Amino acid sequence: PCNGCTYTGSQNLAVTIAPGSLGAGSYTSYITLNSGGSQFATIQVNLTIGGSGGGTGSLVAPSSLTFAYQSGQSFGPPQQTITIAASGAFTASSTQSWLVVSPTSGSGPANLTVSVIPFGLAAGTNQGIVNITTPSGNQSVNVSLVVGSGLVLNASPGSINFNYAAGSTAYQTVVQVSASDNSSTLVTATPQQSWITLSSPTNSGNTPASYLVTANPAGLCNGINVGSITATASNAANSPLTIPVVALVSGSSATSCGTTTGPLTLSPASFTFSGAVNGAAPATQTLTVTAPSSSTIYTVSTNIVSGTTNWLTVSFPCNNCTLTGSQNLTIAVNQSNLSSGTYQGNILLTANGVTQTVPVTLTVGVSGATGNISVSPTSLSFSAQVNGSAPAGQNVTVTSGTAGVGYIYTVSTTSGGSWLSATSNGATLANGQGLNTASNPTITVIANPAGLAAGTYSGGITLSPNGGTAVTIAVSLTVQANVISASPSSLTFTYQAGGTPPSSQQVQVSGQQGLTFSTQVAAGNCASGWLAASPAAGTAAGNVTVSVNTNNLGAGTCNGSVTVAGTGTATGSTTISVTLTVTAPLPTITKVSSAASYLGQSISPGEVITIFGTGLGPTPFVTLALDPATGRVATTLGGVQVLVGGIAAPMVFASNTQVSAIVPYDIAFLQSTTVLVKFIGQTSNGIGVGVVPTAPGLFTANASGTGPGAILNSNLSANSPSNPANKGETVAIYMTGEGQTSPAGVNGKVTTVSPTPPLTPAPLLPVAVLIDGQPASISFAGEAPSLVSGVMQLNVQIPQSARSGDLSLIVSIGGNSSQNGVTVSVR
């Protein structure tokens, strides 16, 4: 019954656990036994909570989500996703009215969409919880919503969640990091796990910056595997922004389900050994373990994934050794009882309940038939600059008269040290490695001039076949000084309007360290500005980043060039040809509807409309921006224009499949008109629509056109079934389609409050509201303050005689009524 109890003689100790409020996962603790003041035994106790959580033991992931919102912005932060790994029926619910999770029930595995409604919330941090119930157990996801006045970073999508079947290709998607105020802010994005990589950012890393994300979970265990990307910006209130990456893996044969991250710092992250069949064991290697403190306790063990003998050992003579503090562990392999092939194993280190894995690969050669081999070519020559980049590798073809002859690779140099190496099938070859002409018919020879002075260096690669005569490939490397060169000699970019802008590309500048160079750009046959290179001047060795700007470019091909030339004492010049091919798909409209009700009938002046189709705009999407010259909502957004009766409409949203705009008030005198979209010089088909004085449409909380309306209670909280209004309480209803106003509506104007009535422009035609079929009293009907003209606000009192529950809501203006199926919740 106590910690630190003293006993004598033989004892039976009962071990109990109290999981309490612990979430699903794996936990580790220890019982230590001491005698005479010295520890003589440590008993490790493992506790697993949850069921089908897979690689991490989790039922759902991520375990927490964070949203950030800059007060006054028209749009909330992007949605994020929770992955449920557990099988069977589930339910999901949230603890706050501003926190929305969908769906609330279903069958797992599944993904849940989590969004927040920040409008009307006071500055500060708001905490909520998404509770998920599954047959395998229950788990809660903590959600934070930070509301402040400063700039915040947003990621679109807010999280990356995908399913991965072992053997599949790597998953790829595009993430855009933007500033909440649409400013250009320098941002840096960094993946936190080795299985996640990012391309170079567009826009030179200034917001909005887009990245191609490649996630390759090959080798991870079945179930949930969690990673992340962090984005930092010096002036962002929520920096660093964490973008969760969740992979639900199936079909994996991996047997060690640890993680590469945890309380211990491990260097290196993996080991590769190679040796010949019945040859000497490869040299040992060192794993450096850095613990958070000298009292940190952890265990070390090995796990053999393939191979029938315990060929992998650590410096301590036991499995599951218990260690404390930082250590250097000696890693050794022994292939004496192994046939040729590649073997996998792991070193497992467990601390604080987290198991970290260091993969180990052992390649044993040689296998295959016996006989002679031949190589082509038999000699290679390389040239490079002092302190320059390595020249391109050169291929050698290996053939044999007998199919599948095995051979051993050996490399040597007569001067300059280890500048010579080779790869085959993308993997670096080790001295003494066994290969086969069937599986390794080509080796790529690489010469690395790093650290070499000017001069000529010689070496050779010897291939020794089973039962045959060895052949040697003679290799020479000439290193020059004071010459600037650049590679590659050409770059090609392609872009389809509406797609992801092409990533920048790198030009490697070679030359002796300290030599200077300049960079010049020639625009060629297209207007200046489409091609850029930086830096304009630099020092060898280095890189020049070449990027293209696709804004305002029509379909066609731009041909330009970048010239890298030595300056000062440096000589040499290289011109890199650059080609950008732009294709523009024809925009096609399939539907024009109210942005609130999604009903496609007639339109009214000032109505917010949504246009559906294909090839309509850019990917990723862009949202409303003000024209700095007029202070009004811009009529061009991401290269997209919407024309209503030939008049440019203020733009609210633009993406590849959906565009939203505000009908110009100028069409009020028409009975019908045509709507079309222009994108990157291409014009869509026209859709004919009727024009009516009013076309009321109620915005809904789930943006579907039905269900709970976009309504604020008197305390500015969102009205919902879980947060109903009181009878007699005044609520604010948001809608569009109110038609012309008094004073007359101004296209794209942001509504401000007047010191004298009317406080904001009011609809010309009479307004009536029915709640559950009963007339409701209206205390305010006008354009919504701080929002663009065309968004109307109604302040309406809930009738005292109204029923309790989710009641129908109908608004009529000038005799035209809003859509059915919208509700207001009443207590």
Side-chain angles (χ1 to χ4, degrees):
C2 62
N3 198 25
C5 290
T6 300
Y7 296 95
T8 60
S10 300
Q11 298 283 347
N12 289 325
L13 305 182
V15 180
T16 62
I17 58 100
S21 59
L22 293 176
S26 297
Y27 303 85
T28 298
S29 189
Y30 301 88
I31 300 169
T32 58
L33 306 179
N34 300 278
S35 178
S38 299
Q39 176 181 324
F40 70 89
T42 297
I43 304 166
Q44 179 175 317
V45 183
N46 299 314
L47 167 63
T48 300
I49 300 178
S52 53
T56 61
S58 296
L59 300 173
V60 301
S63 59
S64 63
L65 299 174
T66 300
F67 296 83
Y69 170 69
Q70 182 181 1
S71 297
Q73 296 300 304
S74 303
F75 296 90
Q79 298 173 335
Q80 298 188 46
T81 300
I82 296 173
T83 295
I84 299 179
S87 298
F90 70 84
T91 60
S93 62
S94 67
T95 61
Q96 301 293 336
S97 60
W98 52 263
L99 178 59
V100 180
V101 59
S102 177
T104 56
S105 63
S107 181
N111 284 333
L112 303 182
T113 298
V114 180
S115 57
V116 296
I117 305 173
F119 311 110
L121 295 179
T125 300
N126 302 271
Q127 300 290 348
I129 297 175
V130 174
N131 292 311
I132 300 170
T133 302
T134 76
S136 300
N138 306 330
Q139 192 161 334
S140 297
V141 177
N142 295 318
V143 180
S144 299
L145 169 58
V146 180
V147 178
S149 59
L151 175 152
V152 298
L153 294 177
N154 286 322
S156 181
S159 63
I160 300 172
N161 301 64
F162 65 97
N163 294 347
Y164 177 83
S168 301
T169 58
Y171 175 81
Q172 289 189 319
T173 189
V174 174
V175 170
Q176 183 185 71
V177 180
S178 60
S180 57
D181 61 356
N182 294 321
S183 63
S184 178
T185 298
L186 182 62
V187 64
T188 301
T190 306
Q192 300 302 303
Q193 284 75 31
S194 59
W195 54 275
I196 306 171
T197 58
L198 299 181
S199 69
S200 299
T202 61
N203 204 23
S204 300
N206 291 294
T207 56
S210 295
Y211 303 81
L212 176 63
V213 180
T214 301
N216 187 2
L220 299 183
C221 285
N222 290 326
I224 285 179
N225 294 269
V226 182
S228 64
I229 300 167
T230 58
T232 59
S234 60
N235 58 340
N238 64 331
S239 178
L241 165 69
T242 298
I243 307 167
V245 181
V246 179
L248 183 56
V249 177
S250 62
S252 174
S253 59
T255 59
S256 172
C257 294
T259 175
T260 57
T261 60
L264 304 176
T265 301
L266 308 175
S267 179
S270 63
F271 290 93
T272 300
F273 293 87
S274 62
V277 172
N278 298 320
T284 61
Q285 300 184 44
T286 300
L287 171 62
T288 300
V289 181
T290 304
S293 70
S294 60
S295 61
T296 300
I297 301 175
Y298 54 97
T299 61
V300 181
S301 62
T302 59
N303 163 249
I304 303 300
V305 178
S306 57
T308 57
T309 63
N310 189 19
W311 53 263
L312 172 62
T313 59
V314 294
S315 54
F316 290 85
C318 63
N319 205 23
N320 290 317
C321 289
T322 299
L323 305 175
T324 59
S326 300
Q327 301 279 349
N328 285 329
L329 307 182
T330 300
I331 312 304
V333 298
N334 187 338
Q335 81 281 19
S336 59
N337 293 316
L338 297 176
S339 58
S340 60
T342 300
Y343 301 89
Q344 303 293 334
N346 295 292
I347 302 168
L348 308 177
L349 301 97
T350 301
N352 298 338
V354 178
T355 298
Q356 295 172 244
T357 302
V358 180
V360 180
T361 300
L362 169 62
T363 301
V364 181
V366 59
S367 62
T370 60
N372 285 312
I373 61 174
S374 59
V375 296
S376 178
T378 58
S379 63
L380 300 172
S381 297
F382 294 87
S383 61
Q385 308 298 319
V386 172
N387 297 319
S389 58
Q394 298 185 41
N395 290 334
V396 173
T397 301
V398 184
T399 57
S400 59
T402 302
V405 170
Y407 62 94
I408 289 182
Y409 160 91
T410 308
V411 64
S412 63
T413 58
T414 58
S415 58
S418 57
W419 55 267
L420 180 59
S421 63
T423 65
S424 182
N425 296 329
T428 300
L429 301 179
N431 245 356
Q433 183 169 343
L435 305 174
N436 191 290
T437 56
S439 57
N440 303 93
T442 302
I443 64 172
T444 301
V445 180
I446 298 170
N448 186 358
L452 297 180
T456 299
Y457 301 87
S458 299
I461 293 176
T462 299
L463 307 181
S464 304
N466 288 338
T469 303
V471 295
T472 298
I473 306 157
V475 183
S476 66
L477 169 62
T478 301
V479 181
Q480 301 173 322
N482 297 333
V483 177
I484 288 290
S485 63
S487 63
S489 59
S490 63
L491 298 173
T492 300
F493 296 85
T494 58
Y495 172 68
Q496 183 182 64
T500 303
S503 301
S504 59
Q505 298 186 44
Q506 300 292 316
V507 171
Q508 294 183 327
V509 181
S510 300
Q512 185 175 358
Q513 187 171 4
L515 293 179
T516 58
F517 65 87
S518 65
T519 305
Q520 292 184 334
V521 172
N525 63 320
C526 289
S528 62
W530 74 270
L531 178 61
S534 82
T539 303
N543 290 329
V544 172
T545 300
V546 179
S547 59
V548 295
N549 182 358
T550 58
N551 292 340
N552 302 317
L553 288 180
T557 301
C558 293
N559 295 302
S561 64
V562 175
T563 299
V564 178
T567 58
T569 60
T571 61
S573 175
T574 303
T575 297
I576 299 100
S577 61
V578 182
T579 300
L580 168 63
T581 301
V582 179
T583 59
L586 187 67
T588 301
I589 300 176
T590 58
K591 180 182 177 182
V592 177
S593 68
S594 165
S597 68
Y598 294 101
L599 298 178
Q601 298 175 354
S602 298
I603 63 174
S604 67
E607 181 183 4
V608 184
I609 61 173
T610 294
I611 302 167
F612 296 93
T614 58
L616 300 178
T619 300
F621 66 82
V622 289
T623 57
L624 175 150
L626 297 182
D627 184 338
T630 64
R632 301 178 186 175
V633 174
T635 56
T636 299
L637 184 63
V640 180
Q641 277 191 321
V642 171
L643 299 181
V644 181
I647 302 170
M651 296 293 300
V652 176
F653 176 88
S655 73
N656 187 258
T657 59
Q658 182 177 332
V659 171
S660 295
I662 304 169
V663 176
Y665 288 98
D666 314 67
I667 69 161
F669 64 92
L670 300 175
Q671 293 183 340
S672 63
T673 189
T674 300
V675 177
L676 55 83
V677 173
K678 284 189 173 183
F679 178 48
I680 311 293
Q682 298 275 25
T683 302
S684 74
N685 57 308
I687 296 289
V689 294
V691 178
V692 293
T694 65
L698 298 175
F699 290 107
T700 57
N702 60 8
S704 70
T706 61
I711 301 171
L712 295 181
N713 293 332
S714 58
N715 62 1
L716 300 183
S717 65
N719 180 272
S720 70
S722 62
N723 187 37
N726 294 315
K727 297 169 185 177
E729 181 179 346
T730 297
V731 297
I733 301 170
Y734 292 89
M735 60 176 296
T736 189
E738 65 273 23
Q740 186 55 274
T741 62
S742 177
V746 178
N747 296 338
K749 181 180 179 181
V750 176
T751 301
T752 56
V753 178
S754 170
T756 59
L759 299 180
T760 66
L764 287 178
L765 298 177
V767 182
V769 178
L770 294 178
I771 295 178
D772 200 22
Q774 299 184 50
S777 175
I778 302 172
S779 58
F780 172 81
E783 299 302 289
S786 301
L787 299 181
V788 64
S789 182
V791 178
M792 182 183 177
Q793 177 178 331
L794 291 175
N795 292 352
V796 177
Q797 186 179 36
I798 304 293
Q800 290 285 359
S801 59
R803 297 181 302 156
S804 297
D806 301 331
L807 307 182
S808 66
L809 173 64
I810 298 290
V811 176
S812 65
I813 302 179
N816 294 325
S817 297
S818 61
Q819 76 271 27
N820 294 320
V822 180
T823 61
V824 58
S825 297
V826 178
R827 181 176 287 104

